[in-house]
C-alpha cells in the first residue's frame, strides 16, 4: 500500500516505522514546511494518514477529498468542523475515517466506560464523577479528544449529570465542582503519551477505571490498521466499523 503521511511529527514517524515493517511504502511526507504541490503528490498514494494540528486538519482533509484519496485522520481539537467534513465527504463520494484515539486498548476502555456509566445511572450516592487526563506538555488541545469522547459517553447515560466543565489539574474538585456537573481535569506533564482516569466517588467508596498508554505504538498501529481497511471504500467510518467490540 502506498501511504501519504500528512504530519510528520511524533505520530507520523511512529506510523512510518510500523508501515515499513509491514512492507508498505511511504510515498509522501508532509509537515508544516512542505513546499511542494500537495494535490498532485497525494494522487500517487492509496491512502493518506493525517496527524497534524487542530488548525491544519480540516484543510488537509479537504485536500485529500479533492485528490480523491481516502483519508484516516487522528488529529484532535478541530471537531467543530466535523459536520462539514462529513457533508463534503458524502457529497464528493470520498472516504474518511476518524477516531480521537486509535489505540485498541482505549476503544475497549470506551466500551467499559459506557457499561460502567449505564450501571451508575441508578446510583445517586456516587455524587462526584470526574475524568482526569494526563498528556505530555507539547499537546495543543485540552481536554484531550479521548477525554471528550469519555465525557460524552457518560453524559449520555447518567441523567443526574447536566453539564460538563473543564478544569486544570490544579483546581480542587471538592471546592469547585457542582453535583450535576461532570468535571474533566487536564494535566500536562513531561512526555506522558496519554493516561485517562474515570472516577466515581460516594461517601463510602470509590470506583476508578484507568487506561495508560506506555508509548505511541498502540495509536500508530491502530491508525495503520484503519488505513489498510479503508482503501477501496467510500463513506465515513470510525473504530466501531473496524473493530468488533
Ligand atoms: N487519534 C489518536 O489516536 C491520536 C494519538 C496521538 C496523537 N493524536 C493527535 O494527533 C495530532 C498530532 O500529534 P503529534 O504528537 O504527532 O504532534 P507533533 O507536533 O509531533 O506533529 C505534528 C506534525 O504536523 C505538522 N503540521 C503542522 N501543521 C501542518 C500543516 N498545516 N500541514 C501539514 N503538516 C503540518 C508538523 O510539522 C508536525 O510534523 C495531535 O492533534 C494529537 O492530539 C491523536
Amino acid at each position: 500500500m502506498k501511504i501519504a503521511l500528512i504530519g510528520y511529527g511524533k505520530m507520523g514517524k511512529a506510523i512510518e516505522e510500523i508501515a515499513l515493517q509491514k512492507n508498505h511504502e511511504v510515498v509522501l511526507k508532509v509537515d508544516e514546511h512542505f513546499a511542494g504541490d500537495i494535490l498532485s503528490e497525494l494522487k500517487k498514494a492509496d491512502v493518506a494518514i493525517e496527524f497534524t494540528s487542530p488548525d491544519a486538519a480540516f484543510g488537509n482533509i479537504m485536500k485529500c477529498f479533492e485528490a480523491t484519496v481516502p483519508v484516516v485522520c487522528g488529529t484532535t481539537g478541530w471537531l467543530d468542523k466535523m459536520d462539514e467534513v462529513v457533508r463534503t465527504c458524502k457529497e464528493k463520494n470520498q472516504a474518511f475515517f476518524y477516531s480521537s484515539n486509535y489505540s485498541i486498548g482505549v476503544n475497549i476502555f470506551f466500551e467499559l466506560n459506557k457499561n460502567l456509566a449505564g450501571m451508575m445511572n441508578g446510583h445517586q450516592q456516587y455524587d462526584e464523577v470526574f475524568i482526569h487526563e494526563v498528556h505530555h506538555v507539547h499537546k495543543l488541545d485540552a481536554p484531550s479528544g479521548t477525554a471528550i469522547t469519555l465525557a460524552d459517553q457518560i453524559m449520555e447515560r447518567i441523567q443526574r449529570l447536566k453539564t460538563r466543565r473543564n478544569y486544570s489539574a490544579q483546581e480542587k474538585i471538592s471546592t469547585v465542582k457542582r453535583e450535576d456537573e461532570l468535571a474533566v481535569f487536564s494535566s500536562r506533564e513531561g512526555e506522558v503519551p496519554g493516561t485517562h482516569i474515570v472516577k466515581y466517588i460516594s461517601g463510602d467508596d470509590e470506583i476508578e477505571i484507568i487506561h495508560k498508554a506506555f508509548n505511541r505504538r498502540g495509536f500508530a498501529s491502530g491508525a495503520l490498521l484503519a488505513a489498510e481497511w479503508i482503501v477501496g471504500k467510500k463513506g465515513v467510518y470510525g473504530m466501531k466499523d473496524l473493530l468488533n467490540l
Side-chain angles (χ1 to χ4, degrees):
M1 193 169 72
K2 292 183 172 152
I3 301 171
L5 291 176
I6 309 180
Y8 192 58
K10 292 181 281 299
M11 281 305 296
K13 287 174 184 148
I15 292 164
E16 180 184 40
E17 194 181 327
I18 300 172
L20 296 179
Q21 282 163 7
K22 293 177 92 176
N23 293 324
H24 295 304
E25 194 184 341
V26 175
V27 293
L28 175 65
K29 296 174 198 172
V30 179
D31 68 7
E32 60 193 317
H33 307 296
F34 183 78
D37 176 3
I38 187 167
L39 267 184
S40 62
E41 294 294 325
L42 270 174
K43 286 180 181 157
K44 297 175 189 162
D46 299 314
V47 65
I49 306 181
E50 207 278 353
F51 279 76
T52 60
S53 72
D55 56 348
F58 177 77
N60 288 331
I61 295 163
M62 290 295 156
K63 279 179 196 143
C64 293
F65 291 164
E66 213 178 320
T68 69
V69 179
V71 53
V72 170
C73 174
T75 306
T76 54
W78 61 273
L79 292 190
D80 51 325
K81 297 210 175 75
M82 180 57 100
D83 288 349
E84 200 176 334
V85 166
V86 169
R87 200 174 52 245
T88 311
C89 180
K90 289 179 179 165
E91 273 169 15
K92 293 187 183 268
N93 194 30
Q94 293 305 303
F96 176 65
F97 195 112
Y98 183 75
S99 176
S100 63
N101 199 310
Y102 281 93
S103 144
I104 310 272
V106 162
N107 283 275
I108 293 169
F109 189 67
F110 284 152
E111 294 305 306
L112 210 56
N113 182 53
K114 286 195 272 186
N115 284 338
L116 182 57
M119 285 188 273
M120 284 303 194
N121 186 33
H123 299 284
Q124 308 265 351
Q125 69 273 30
Y126 291 91
D127 57 5
E128 277 189 16
V129 186
F130 68 88
I131 295 171
H132 184 184
E133 58 100 349
V134 188
H135 280 88
H136 52 86
V137 293
H138 317 287
K139 188 166 176 60
L140 296 178
D141 52 323
S144 67
T146 304
I148 293 171
T149 303
L150 290 165
D152 288 346
Q153 292 174 336
I154 293 170
M155 296 290 295
E156 277 164 25
R157 287 166 179 81
I158 301 193
Q159 285 162 2
R160 62 184 177 278
L161 297 174
K162 305 294 182 209
T163 54
R164 183 192 101 203
R165 208 163 123 197
N166 305 328
Y167 295 92
S168 72
Q170 287 74 36
E171 289 173 286
K172 289 275 181 300
I173 189 165
S174 52
T175 52
V176 289
K177 191 188 157 305
R178 296 200 326 246
E179 264 181 30
D180 64 353
E181 207 177 76
L182 172 60
V184 182
F185 291 86
S186 297
S187 305
R188 297 291 171 258
E189 296 172 12
E191 297 299 330
V192 176
T195 297
H196 291 86
I197 301 165
V198 179
K199 197 161 185 164
Y200 295 82
I201 308 174
S202 77
D204 302 319
D205 61 359
E206 64 184 37
I207 297 175
E208 180 179 285
I209 56 173
I210 302 181
H211 180 273
K212 195 182 280 189
F214 298 152
N215 51 48
R216 291 186 174 78
R217 253 196 333 263
F219 309 121
S221 59
L224 192 60
L225 205 62
E228 290 167 344
W229 182 87
I230 202 173
V231 171
K233 294 189 173 63
K234 300 289 179 197
V236 177
Y237 302 100
M239 292 302 270
K240 262 206 156 67
D241 303 301
L242 179 66
L243 305 172
N244 289 319
L245 291 173

